[in-house]
Amino acid sequence: MDEIRLVKPSADYADDIMAFRQELLDADSEFAGCGSLYHCSSAGEWINIVEASETTCAEGMVTSNSYIAVRLCDNKIVGIIDLRHHIDNPILSAWGGHIGYTVRPSERRKGYAKDMLRQNLRNCRDRGIDRVLITCSCGNVASEKTIVANGGVLEKEICVDGKMMKRFWVELRQD
């Protein structure tokens, strides 16, 4: 796996953001952790939404940060991950959690999700979040392995709209 860095989305990555979006659509993949990218018709629209989400949000939502995972050797987006500032919300506290993420379909099974989550857990620690909820579908073995590799401990399985989900907690030390 090549080295990656989490960075805030910017117009510098506009073309690749839309290519990432199209790749997810073509693969009929979930847009977990991508905010409203699914509904956006331009990278600029999505960037404006994620920037605004850092300080304000619509009713029923929570403030959050979104990051693109950029591979340093070629400056390509390999994934998108978000960090919800809190989970004081019925959906987030039940099954949405603090973090959601997606790896570009062509870049999966290369270890990027594990490193994205590791880096974002540092962001959680920096925000003073010491207990992080991360969830995944029961059949998503890759995501489960990613969460466990980053210290996730299974709390329980729950049913959400007929779909089984696993809830994991990651305890972060505050230094």
Side-chain angles (χ1 to χ4, degrees):
M1 177 190 77
D2 292 309
E3 186 178 358
I4 61 169
R5 180 170 298 132
L6 298 185
V7 298
K8 291 188 178 197
S10 71
D12 295 340
Y13 295 97
D15 291 342
D16 204 20
I17 289 168
M18 295 313 286
F20 182 96
R21 179 185 181 276
Q22 190 59 52
E23 192 171 328
L24 289 177
L25 290 170
D26 291 347
D28 195 27
S29 187
E30 290 187 38
F31 279 72
C34 297
S36 58
L37 182 59
Y38 178 84
H39 300 288
C40 292
S41 59
S42 73
E45 178 185 6
W46 182 68
I47 292 166
N48 289 338
I49 291 169
V50 298
E51 284 177 351
S53 296
E54 292 179 11
T55 55
T56 60
C57 56
E59 187 173 332
M61 304 293 284
V62 302
T63 53
S64 63
N65 290 90
S66 294
Y67 304 94
I68 52 177
V70 177
R71 186 170 47 213
L72 299 183
C73 68
D74 61 2
N75 212 34
K76 181 179 181 179
I77 297 171
V78 297
I80 297 176
I81 191 165
D82 68 358
L83 164 55
R84 296 156 194 137
H85 299 169
H86 62 84
I87 56 172
D88 297 332
N89 170 294
I91 293 173
L92 296 179
S93 63
W95 62 270
H98 286 95
I99 296 174
Y101 54 88
T102 298
V103 173
R104 191 177 206 134
S106 62
E107 300 296 338
R108 292 180 180 163
R109 294 183 144 49
K110 298 179 182 178
Y112 291 121
K114 181 178 172 183
D115 198 31
M116 288 166 51
L117 182 53
R118 180 187 61 77
Q119 290 183 42
N120 209 25
L121 288 170
R122 279 193 305 226
N123 293 333
C124 290
R125 189 178 298 109
D126 292 346
R127 292 195 70 78
I129 302 169
D130 57 4
R131 192 164 188 252
V132 180
L133 175 64
I134 309 170
T135 66
C136 68
S137 300
C138 281
N140 190 340
V141 176
S143 192
E144 181 174 348
K145 286 181 178 181
T146 295
I147 297 165
V148 170
N150 278 283
V153 176
L154 179 65
E155 175 197 46
K156 64 181 176 180
E157 294 181 8
I158 61 170
C159 185
V160 178
D161 297 331
K163 183 177 178 182
M164 293 304 293
M165 304 285 294
K166 291 185 176 186
R167 291 171 45 100
F168 295 86
W169 287 96
V170 179
E171 302 287 340
L172 300 175
R173 288 182 311 127
Q174 297 295 326
D175 296 330

